[in-house]
Amino acid sequence: MNASATCQDQQWHRSPDVVATERIAALPAMLEIICRVTGLGFAAVAQITDGAWQACSVRDDVGFGLRENDVFRVDTVPWQDLHTHQQPFVIDDAGPDQAIRRLSDSECFGFRSYISFPITRPDGSLFGTLCAIGTKPARLDQPEVQEIFWQFSELIGLQLNAQRRSSRLAGPSYDDAVIAAQRDEEPLATVIEHLPIGAGLFTPDGRVLLDNPILRRVVRQGHIPGADFETDPRWTGYAADGTLLDTREHPFARALRGHITLRTRFHYRTEDGFERWTRISGLPFRGRAAPAWQSSRPAPAVLLIVEEEHEPGRTADALHQSEARLQAAVDLIGLSPYDWNPASGVLNWNARLKAIWGLSPDAQIDRSAWLSAIHPEDRSRVEEAIAHCSDPAGDGVYNIEHRVIGIGDGVERWVAMHGRTEFEDGRPTGFVGVGLEITERKREETIRRENEERFRRFAEHSTNVLWQANLESRRLTYLSHALRHVWGVAPEQLTSIESWLATIHPDDRDTADRAIERVGGGDVVVLEYRILRPSDGAVRRIRDTFFPIRSEDGRIRHMGGIAEDVTGRTSARLYVVDENPVSRQALLTLLQPAGYEVQVFANAAALAEIAGSLQPGCVILDIEAAGPESLTVAKALKAGGLSLPVVVIGRSHGDVGFGVRAMKAGAVDYLEKPWQPAALLTAVSAALAELRTDTERSQARDDAKLRIGALSPREREVLEGLLAGGTNKSIGRALGLSPRTVEIHRAHVMEALGVKTLPEAVLMAARAGVQPTSGL
């Protein structure tokens, strides 16, 4: 019986470690904190074994559906590799079609985001995972979130180890006592006490309910900022953009309104002059049960987490290092910071930016010199951009790419300029920006456009079909004009890989579909297949080269191909059907040195089985060993309309009607054994020549039908009149047109058919089966 069936009959085995998790009194509080920090509303501790993932403790505030003791297959949970690598897994958005399945009944639970950290024991072995799951995308890849997961998972591992050690020492009776004792403890107090950063729980009026030694050391005097709803001069908060933080947006105040605030930066000054930088996170908190210090359900409280930053001296060093790194990045990219004083008109440029303008490093730069070097064709755009960034009613942004003609060297360069104007009382007071030379990029863009134009021209005039497809959406994103000639349809009629596959011969469709899968794996595939042309149902043989197209990140999202119509190409291919090894070898000795590509079949049935997928060529059928019944193969090939003419060789034993019967069965020639080498080569050459002629006729007929099918109704009527021998005047009389109008239509017909003379047009119309107009 398999594991799935077993779980349908009995509850999954609860290991001692699973039981031990129930004794960690702080675990529910940890899960509640995780639900609030991540915003997912679901958190759990689970044990992972080789075969299963079992939920030990669950917090579900959003009705996700998973319960304690639920068991899932390890290979369906998103963090399945955790069992091997013991590394965190964090995904903000796993996509819309992700699910985990319960082991007992394969029920699916869809998810979009998840975070999972390993829980290990002190000996390094893996117990399981601390995880949170969401049904919508979430921002989980943040240091403050991962730090909490690291600390909680480590704490759970230590608690499990202590439980196991105590259990071994005291036995079952001790277990019951521990469980009973811990039910009376405060779980949140345990969590806060063990956190490696400052943490505390506060009432809405700022009174401390719980705190740890680290918080007491960091916050030596006064309340946490925002707790007294008044501005505290000892605390200064800063928003993400560096501006002063409104006291109403302090973490404490926001938490009372039900919002989570993570790692807001504060500068704290004590009364004795001590200063430090901290990061404060605020989380709204409401316990599920009344704590020991309250007899009724608790009022909303605030959980604050305070992390201490570097000392002032170290902060200055870090700032200096940051500035050095910024300067290195500026130099690496080639940026040129600059500023401009709108009131005085003074420009402050570095040597790199001056060089773009063709100036020396010590040259003076002013507005006149700046504008004088701008390319005349770009001057108006630059002036519009200046007016835009100087308008106090706008956003003040100056963003433009333009050409510069060097003042000192006359060299034309491209530059990208970006900056922003500062305003006070509706007047511009300052401007800062950066410039970057992009001459090389523009040159590459020009080359790329020229290459794209050359490719477009090549694709338009190529007789091969050039195509591209998106493997993710399965849309055909490009089809060249040759599709009209080969497939007989316009590019807009084939919009997807599925519509393309529908044109392929049913016997070749699976092979083509597998080729697409191989290309998605990085292979280049050359495949020959047949299509049934949607326009007329004609069978065409295609040789297609499929190749992957990699994105900049290395992933294969697109594929391309070059499809060549090889219907009329025999490639001098011969198919020998001979059951006698000695006779077969004699044929190979003659045919291969003559330049033919030979494929051998042991019997006629083997040839008949795959005849429909063979390239056009000549069949040499030795019926001496196979017997007269093998002539049915020749008859079947002819009846099927396949491009496989048959030359029969054998012994008639004096039966003069034997050769006649072979010819009636569909053979194009019969040679008596022992055959003469020259006679056999002549027969094969004649069969291939006739095959080429038939193919050329077929292609000419197909081409004529396609071209005539593209004519307008009026042009078709003019062509029918020309086929009847009419003149411009007689055709015009019959159609109610002027001779001049008929002449114009006639010129369009000649151009559309690709002919230069009237006899060529008439011949093409006759090939396509056009009937002349009667009565002319």
Side-chain angles (χ1 to χ4, degrees):
M1 181 179 295
N2 58 32
S4 178
T6 301
C7 284
Q8 293 177 7
D9 299 330
Q10 63 184 35
Q11 186 179 12
W12 187 265
H13 173 65
R14 298 173 73 248
S15 68
D17 281 331
V18 174
V19 175
T21 60
E22 300 175 356
R23 303 172 184 168
I24 302 177
L27 193 54
M30 293 184 194
L31 297 183
E32 181 173 358
I33 291 173
I34 286 174
C35 285
R36 292 180 178 275
V37 169
T38 62
L40 300 182
F42 177 90
V45 170
Q47 185 183 32
I48 298 178
T49 64
D50 290 334
W53 182 98
Q54 181 179 7
C56 303
S57 182
V58 171
R59 170 87 181 202
D60 188 358
D61 294 336
V62 293
F64 190 75
L66 305 189
R67 301 181 301 274
E68 293 178 359
N69 297 320
D70 275 351
V71 181
F72 298 85
R73 289 170 43 194
V74 166
D75 61 351
T76 68
V77 297
W79 43 87
Q80 54 185 280
D81 290 340
L82 188 99
H83 185 258
T84 304
H85 305 296
Q86 297 189 19
Q87 292 294 323
F89 283 80
V90 181
I91 292 294
D92 290 344
D93 188 358
D97 300 317
Q98 301 296 323
I100 57 178
R101 292 191 295 277
R102 186 180 280 128
L103 181 61
S104 59
D105 55 14
S106 295
E107 181 181 354
C108 289
F109 296 82
F111 69 91
R112 287 293 294 269
S113 54
Y114 67 85
I115 177 171
S116 174
F117 274 61
I119 300 174
T120 57
R121 306 179 184 92
D123 61 2
S125 61
L126 178 72
F127 164 74
T129 175
L130 173 64
C131 62
I133 310 174
T135 57
K136 298 179 179 179
R139 295 183 58 191
L140 303 176
D141 193 11
Q142 302 181 72
E144 54 270 18
V145 174
Q146 297 188 32
E147 180 66 23
I148 292 177
F149 269 81
W150 271 123
Q151 300 300 336
F152 281 7
S153 59
E154 183 177 354
L155 182 60
I156 293 171
L158 293 173
Q159 292 272 354
L160 286 173
N161 187 62
Q163 292 284 357
R164 295 180 67 189
R165 190 166 57 248
S166 299
S167 180
R168 288 196 300 269
L169 293 174
S173 60
Y174 175 82
D175 294 345
D176 297 337
V178 169
I179 294 174
Q182 291 185 337
R183 282 174 182 161
D184 297 329
E185 292 181 359
E186 287 303 329
L188 186 59
T190 305
V191 174
I192 291 176
E193 186 70 17
H194 286 84
L195 281 177
I197 54 179
L201 191 67
F202 296 81
T203 62
D205 60 358
R207 184 167 56 89
V208 178
L209 298 175
L210 293 171
D211 64 355
N212 61 12
I214 298 177
L215 182 66
R216 291 191 290 271
R217 186 186 75 244
V218 174
V219 185
R220 296 180 179 177
Q221 302 177 37
H223 292 132
I224 293 292
D228 54 359
F229 302 99
E230 294 179 359
T231 301
D232 188 342
R234 292 170 297 182
W235 287 96
T236 305
Y238 294 88
D241 59 1
T243 60
L244 291 179
L245 188 67
D246 189 291
T247 56
R248 291 170 298 181
E249 297 303 312
H250 283 185
F252 190 98
R254 284 178 54 83
L256 287 176
R257 299 198 300 269
H259 303 300
I260 296 174
T261 306
L262 300 177
R263 308 191 79 239
T264 300
R265 198 161 187 252
F266 279 86
H267 182 242
Y268 178 55
R269 305 175 189 85
T270 63
E271 292 179 351
D272 56 5
F274 187 84
E275 296 183 355
R276 61 165 43 93
W277 286 92
T278 60
R279 295 276 186 174
I280 300 180
S281 301
L283 298 89
F285 187 88
R286 182 188 293 274
R288 287 184 293 178
W293 62 83
Q294 283 184 252
S295 58
S296 60
R297 181 173 178 79
V302 175
L303 176 65
L304 290 182
I305 299 175
V306 182
E307 304 167 71
E308 189 173 3
E309 287 193 352
H310 298 296
E311 296 297 331
R314 297 179 63 187
T315 301
D317 292 340
L319 179 61
H320 178 73
Q321 293 175 5
S322 176
E323 292 174 346
R325 286 193 294 269
L326 177 60
Q327 185 60 49
V330 167
D331 293 339
L332 177 64
I333 298 172
L335 289 175
S336 297
Y338 70 99
D339 58 76
W340 167 49
N341 188 324
S344 64
V346 173
L347 290 166
N348 182 20
W349 286 14
N350 66 5
R352 186 186 294 117
L353 193 56
K354 291 179 181 179
I356 298 175
W357 259 251
L359 298 172
S360 62
D362 57 353
Q364 295 297 317
I365 184 71
D366 55 22
R367 182 185 176 92
S368 176
W370 163 38
L371 295 176
S372 67
I374 296 173
H375 195 287
E377 295 178 5
D378 298 339
R379 182 70 177 264
S380 61
R381 292 194 302 110
V382 172
E383 291 176 344
E384 289 176 4
I386 295 173
H388 172 79
C389 76
S390 302
D391 183 1
D395 56 11
V397 173
Y398 177 73
N399 187 18
I400 190 172
E401 295 179 357
H402 62 81
R403 289 164 291 178
V404 172
I405 299 177
I407 296 174
D409 55 19
V411 176
E412 181 179 299
R413 302 177 179 90
W414 275 92
V415 62
M417 307 293 285
H418 184 87
R420 184 185 293 273
T421 305
E422 298 177 356
F423 298 92
E424 286 185 9
D425 299 326
R427 295 181 297 104
T429 58
F431 177 93
V432 292
V434 291
L436 176 67
E437 183 178 355
I438 57 172
T439 305
E440 188 63 30
R441 192 194 81 190
K442 285 293 185 179
R443 185 179 295 115
E444 292 175 353
E445 289 177 356
T446 300
I447 294 173
R448 184 170 63 251
R449 283 196 302 269
E450 291 174 350
N451 289 338
E452 289 174 351
E453 177 62 20
R454 281 194 290 268
F455 171 79
R456 185 187 64 79
R457 293 176 181 174
F458 166 76
E460 287 180 353
H461 295 88
S462 173
T463 57
N464 297 333
V465 179
L466 281 66
W467 58 271
Q468 288 186 14
N470 186 312
L471 289 171
E472 295 178 346
S473 67
R474 296 183 69 82
R475 305 292 295 177
L476 289 173
T477 56
Y478 177 78
L479 285 167
S480 66
H481 292 304
L483 186 77
R484 293 180 182 273
H485 175 70
V486 179
W487 259 260
V489 296
E492 55 268 20
Q493 291 180 258
L494 292 183
T495 60
S496 65
I497 293 177
E498 280 65 32
S499 62
W500 165 73
L501 287 172
T503 68
I504 296 178
H505 193 286
D507 294 342
D508 301 340
R509 201 168 292 161
D510 289 342
T511 304
D513 203 10
R514 287 194 297 271
I516 296 173
E517 294 179 2
R518 290 178 56 192
V519 174
D523 293 341
V524 175
V525 180
V526 179
L527 179 68
E528 289 190 7
Y529 56 86
R530 293 163 296 169
I531 64 169
L532 301 175
R533 295 202 335 172
S535 59
D536 55 11
V539 178
R540 312 291 289 184
R541 184 172 295 277
I542 307 297
R543 179 182 290 117
D544 212 334
T545 302
F546 302 73
F547 53 87
I549 301 175
R550 295 184 182 273
S551 304
E552 292 183 358
D553 58 5
R555 293 181 58 187
I556 300 173
R557 296 185 176 91
H558 298 82
M559 65 180 292
I562 304 173
E564 181 182 11
D565 188 350
V566 295
T567 306
R569 301 185 185 180
T570 63
S571 301
R573 187 182 292 267
L574 302 180
Y575 304 102
V576 172
V577 181
D578 196 335
E579 298 184 5
N580 188 306
V582 176
S583 175
R584 186 164 62 237
Q585 186 57 45
L587 288 170
L588 291 175
T589 303
L590 172 67
L591 299 173
Q592 286 178 334
Y596 293 112
E597 184 179 346
V598 182
Q599 184 174 349
V600 176
F601 293 89
N603 52 63
L607 170 69
E609 185 176 354
I610 64 170
S613 60
L614 294 177
Q615 263 187 252
C618 178
V619 177
I620 301 175
L621 175 61
D622 187 338
I623 65 170
E624 182 177 10
E629 63 275 8
S630 60
L631 286 176
T632 57
V633 173
K635 186 180 295 184
L637 295 179
K638 185 175 182 179
L642 301 177
S643 300
L644 296 170
V646 180
V647 173
V648 175
I649 60 175
R651 299 182 191 273
S652 62
H653 301 288
D655 183 358
V656 294
F658 189 81
V660 175
R661 289 193 295 274
M663 301 292 281
K664 287 184 176 181
V668 297
D669 206 344
Y670 168 75
L671 297 180
E672 182 76 17
K673 278 190 174 184
W675 42 264
Q676 296 299 315
L680 180 58
L681 291 175
T682 300
V684 168
S685 178
L688 292 175
E690 183 62 27
L691 178 60
R692 282 192 293 271
T693 301
D694 291 342
T695 300
E696 290 169 359
R697 291 196 191 103
S698 175
Q699 286 184 329
R701 184 169 55 254
D702 291 344
D703 183 64
K705 287 182 178 179
L706 284 175
R707 291 177 180 271
I708 291 173
L711 297 177
S712 68
R714 183 63 77 186
E715 291 169 346
R716 175 69 178 251
E717 291 174 341
V718 170
L719 178 61
E720 292 170 352
L722 293 173
L723 193 59
T727 64
N728 291 347
K729 187 178 294 185
S730 63
I731 295 173
R733 245 190 337 263
L735 300 179
L737 303 174
S738 69
R740 175 57 181 162
T741 303
V742 173
E743 184 179 353
I744 294 173
H745 284 309
R746 175 174 172 171
H748 289 168
V749 169
M750 301 288 282
E751 182 181 359
L753 298 185
V755 298
K756 296 181 179 180
T757 65
L758 181 58
E760 289 178 317
V762 171
L763 179 60
M764 181 174 287
R767 287 175 184 160
V770 178
Q771 298 299 317
T773 301
S774 59
L776 285 179

